[in-house]
Amino acid sequence: AVQGLTPPHLMDRLHGMDEFNLQYSKDQGYDSFNIWMMTLAFLFLFAGYNTLQGYVATTLPGNLGFQSLTTLYVAYEIFLPFAASICNKIGDRRTMILGAVCYVVFMASLIWGEPVAVLIASVVIGFGAAILWVAQGSFITECCTEHNRGKYS
């Protein structure tokens, strides 16, 4: 065995830790995993969305791009006051999934290109953005403890 790392020495070190520290070390990996999974999901979602948002602003016929983005952000402002209650009712994870699905609906409408569908999907993504960002903030807050506050948030 390596000098100083024999099992009795290891047990002495662990014996000195209180229950809270042991619980923290167990939960830290789980919270880290949750944060990384959410980060990757947002990376892929917004890589696609940001590309298509640039497409909306520049290549849709007439004023459709402007109308779509205006509708999106007005809908976001309308739905934002209700987002926290939706998060409380269905949970942060389900809310983030629902919000991400709304983004996919908007992206699909851009691929289809029908003006009415694009404007309806703009309202849908406005709702999705409101609930997605509120749920994301709540989820990160839940993953933080006194020991890792500032690491995730």
Side-chain angles (χ1 to χ4, degrees), residues 74-87:
V74 167
Y76 174 79
E77 292 297 324
I78 291 170
F79 289 116
L80 194 56
F82 308 105
S85 64
I86 292 168
C87 285

PDB file of all heavy atoms in Angstrom, residues 74-87:
ATOM      1  N   VAL A  74     -43.515  39.939 -27.879  1.00  0.00           N
ATOM      2  CA  VAL A  74     -44.735  40.421 -27.221  1.00  0.00           C
ATOM      3  C   VAL A  74     -45.402  39.258 -26.469  1.00  0.00           C
ATOM      4  O   VAL A  74     -45.827  39.416 -25.325  1.00  0.00           O
ATOM      5  CB  VAL A  74     -45.699  41.067 -28.243  1.00  0.00           C
ATOM      6  CG1 VAL A  74     -47.078  41.286 -27.642  1.00  0.00           C
ATOM      7  CG2 VAL A  74     -45.122  42.385 -28.756  1.00  0.00           C
ATOM      8  N   ALA A  75     -45.461  38.087 -27.104  1.00  0.00           N
ATOM      9  CA  ALA A  75     -46.030  36.912 -26.434  1.00  0.00           C
ATOM     10  C   ALA A  75     -45.208  36.547 -25.203  1.00  0.00           C
ATOM     11  O   ALA A  75     -45.763  36.182 -24.158  1.00  0.00           O
ATOM     12  CB  ALA A  75     -46.096  35.736 -27.407  1.00  0.00           C
ATOM     13  N   TYR A  76     -43.899  36.657 -25.304  1.00  0.00           N
ATOM     14  CA  TYR A  76     -43.019  36.391 -24.157  1.00  0.00           C
ATOM     15  C   TYR A  76     -43.392  37.281 -22.975  1.00  0.00           C
ATOM     16  O   TYR A  76     -43.535  36.806 -21.850  1.00  0.00           O
ATOM     17  CB  TYR A  76     -41.567  36.616 -24.576  1.00  0.00           C
ATOM     18  CG  TYR A  76     -40.572  36.506 -23.456  1.00  0.00           C
ATOM     19  CD1 TYR A  76     -40.149  35.266 -23.002  1.00  0.00           C
ATOM     20  CD2 TYR A  76     -40.037  37.641 -22.860  1.00  0.00           C
ATOM     21  CE1 TYR A  76     -39.225  35.160 -21.976  1.00  0.00           C
ATOM     22  CE2 TYR A  76     -39.119  37.547 -21.839  1.00  0.00           C
ATOM     23  CZ  TYR A  76     -38.714  36.306 -21.397  1.00  0.00           C
ATOM     24  OH  TYR A  76     -37.807  36.204 -20.378  1.00  0.00           O
ATOM     25  N   GLU A  77     -43.571  38.560 -23.243  1.00  0.00           N
ATOM     26  CA  GLU A  77     -43.926  39.503 -22.180  1.00  0.00           C
ATOM     27  C   GLU A  77     -45.311  39.212 -21.594  1.00  0.00           C
ATOM     28  O   GLU A  77     -45.535  39.388 -20.403  1.00  0.00           O
ATOM     29  CB  GLU A  77     -43.867  40.940 -22.700  1.00  0.00           C
ATOM     30  CG  GLU A  77     -42.472  41.406 -23.026  1.00  0.00           C
ATOM     31  CD  GLU A  77     -41.557  41.454 -21.820  1.00  0.00           C
ATOM     32  OE1 GLU A  77     -42.023  41.799 -20.708  1.00  0.00           O
ATOM     33  OE2 GLU A  77     -40.365  41.143 -21.987  1.00  0.00           O
ATOM     34  N   ILE A  78     -46.226  38.763 -22.425  1.00  0.00           N
ATOM     35  CA  ILE A  78     -47.580  38.454 -21.949  1.00  0.00           C
ATOM     36  C   ILE A  78     -47.574  37.211 -21.060  1.00  0.00           C
ATOM     37  O   ILE A  78     -48.233  37.178 -20.015  1.00  0.00           O
ATOM     38  CB  ILE A  78     -48.547  38.283 -23.140  1.00  0.00           C
ATOM     39  CG1 ILE A  78     -48.773  39.632 -23.816  1.00  0.00           C
ATOM     40  CG2 ILE A  78     -49.867  37.656 -22.695  1.00  0.00           C
ATOM     41  CD1 ILE A  78     -49.506  39.544 -25.141  1.00  0.00           C
ATOM     42  N   PHE A  79     -46.828  36.169 -21.463  1.00  0.00           N
ATOM     43  CA  PHE A  79     -46.838  34.906 -20.723  1.00  0.00           C
ATOM     44  C   PHE A  79     -45.895  34.879 -19.521  1.00  0.00           C
ATOM     45  O   PHE A  79     -46.044  34.024 -18.647  1.00  0.00           O
ATOM     46  CB  PHE A  79     -46.489  33.740 -21.655  1.00  0.00           C
ATOM     47  CG  PHE A  79     -47.572  33.425 -22.643  1.00  0.00           C
ATOM     48  CD1 PHE A  79     -47.354  33.581 -24.001  1.00  0.00           C
ATOM     49  CD2 PHE A  79     -48.820  32.984 -22.221  1.00  0.00           C
ATOM     50  CE1 PHE A  79     -48.349  33.295 -24.923  1.00  0.00           C
ATOM     51  CE2 PHE A  79     -49.823  32.701 -23.134  1.00  0.00           C
ATOM     52  CZ  PHE A  79     -49.592  32.853 -24.483  1.00  0.00           C
ATOM     53  N   LEU A  80     -44.953  35.774 -19.459  1.00  0.00           N
ATOM     54  CA  LEU A  80     -43.954  35.754 -18.383  1.00  0.00           C
ATOM     55  C   LEU A  80     -44.555  35.805 -16.975  1.00  0.00           C
ATOM     56  O   LEU A  80     -44.101  35.063 -16.100  1.00  0.00           O
ATOM     57  CB  LEU A  80     -42.941  36.883 -18.591  1.00  0.00           C
ATOM     58  CG  LEU A  80     -41.674  36.814 -17.761  1.00  0.00           C
ATOM     59  CD1 LEU A  80     -40.947  35.486 -17.978  1.00  0.00           C
ATOM     60  CD2 LEU A  80     -40.759  37.972 -18.118  1.00  0.00           C
ATOM     61  N   PRO A  81     -45.578  36.617 -16.706  1.00  0.00           N
ATOM     62  CA  PRO A  81     -46.134  36.630 -15.335  1.00  0.00           C
ATOM     63  C   PRO A  81     -46.740  35.285 -14.902  1.00  0.00           C
ATOM     64  O   PRO A  81     -46.877  35.033 -13.707  1.00  0.00           O
ATOM     65  CB  PRO A  81     -47.215  37.706 -15.394  1.00  0.00           C
ATOM     66  CG  PRO A  81     -46.837  38.578 -16.538  1.00  0.00           C
ATOM     67  CD  PRO A  81     -46.162  37.681 -17.528  1.00  0.00           C
ATOM     68  N   PHE A  82     -47.098  34.432 -15.843  1.00  0.00           N
ATOM     69  CA  PHE A  82     -47.719  33.145 -15.512  1.00  0.00           C
ATOM     70  C   PHE A  82     -46.713  31.998 -15.464  1.00  0.00           C
ATOM     71  O   PHE A  82     -47.054  30.877 -15.089  1.00  0.00           O
ATOM     72  CB  PHE A  82     -48.812  32.822 -16.545  1.00  0.00           C
ATOM     73  CG  PHE A  82     -49.791  33.934 -16.718  1.00  0.00           C
ATOM     74  CD1 PHE A  82     -49.746  34.741 -17.855  1.00  0.00           C
ATOM     75  CD2 PHE A  82     -50.743  34.216 -15.748  1.00  0.00           C
ATOM     76  CE1 PHE A  82     -50.636  35.784 -18.015  1.00  0.00           C
ATOM     77  CE2 PHE A  82     -51.631  35.260 -15.902  1.00  0.00           C
ATOM     78  CZ  PHE A  82     -51.583  36.047 -17.041  1.00  0.00           C
ATOM     79  N   ALA A  83     -45.475  32.256 -15.847  1.00  0.00           N
ATOM     80  CA  ALA A  83     -44.479  31.197 -15.978  1.00  0.00           C
ATOM     81  C   ALA A  83     -44.142  30.529 -14.644  1.00  0.00           C
ATOM     82  O   ALA A  83     -44.005  29.312 -14.575  1.00  0.00           O
ATOM     83  CB  ALA A  83     -43.218  31.747 -16.632  1.00  0.00           C
ATOM     84  N   ALA A  84     -44.019  31.303 -13.585  1.00  0.00           N
ATOM     85  CA  ALA A  84     -43.656  30.718 -12.287  1.00  0.00           C
ATOM     86  C   ALA A  84     -44.727  29.757 -11.783  1.00  0.00           C
ATOM     87  O   ALA A  84     -44.407  28.692 -11.240  1.00  0.00           O
ATOM     88  CB  ALA A  84     -43.412  31.821 -11.269  1.00  0.00           C
ATOM     89  N   SER A  85     -45.995  30.097 -11.977  1.00  0.00           N
ATOM     90  CA  SER A  85     -47.052  29.196 -11.514  1.00  0.00           C
ATOM     91  C   SER A  85     -47.077  27.911 -12.335  1.00  0.00           C
ATOM     92  O   SER A  85     -47.354  26.832 -11.806  1.00  0.00           O
ATOM     93  CB  SER A  85     -48.413  29.886 -11.533  1.00  0.00           C
ATOM     94  OG  SER A  85     -48.784  30.223 -12.841  1.00  0.00           O
ATOM     95  N   ILE A  86     -46.742  28.001 -13.619  1.00  0.00           N
ATOM     96  CA  ILE A  86     -46.666  26.797 -14.457  1.00  0.00           C
ATOM     97  C   ILE A  86     -45.515  25.911 -13.975  1.00  0.00           C
ATOM     98  O   ILE A  86     -45.660  24.694 -13.859  1.00  0.00           O
ATOM     99  CB  ILE A  86     -46.518  27.173 -15.937  1.00  0.00           C
ATOM    100  CG1 ILE A  86     -47.813  27.831 -16.431  1.00  0.00           C
ATOM    101  CG2 ILE A  86     -46.177  25.958 -16.790  1.00  0.00           C
ATOM    102  CD1 ILE A  86     -47.712  28.488 -17.772  1.00  0.00           C
ATOM    103  N   CYS A  87     -44.378  26.525 -13.657  1.00  0.00           N
ATOM    104  CA  CYS A  87     -43.239  25.765 -13.122  1.00  0.00           C
ATOM    105  C   CYS A  87     -43.611  25.068 -11.819  1.00  0.00           C
ATOM    106  O   CYS A  87     -43.247  23.911 -11.609  1.00  0.00           O
ATOM    107  CB  CYS A  87     -42.052  26.689 -12.858  1.00  0.00           C
ATOM    108  SG  CYS A  87     -41.185  27.202 -14.317  1.00  0.00           S
TER     109      CYS A  87
END
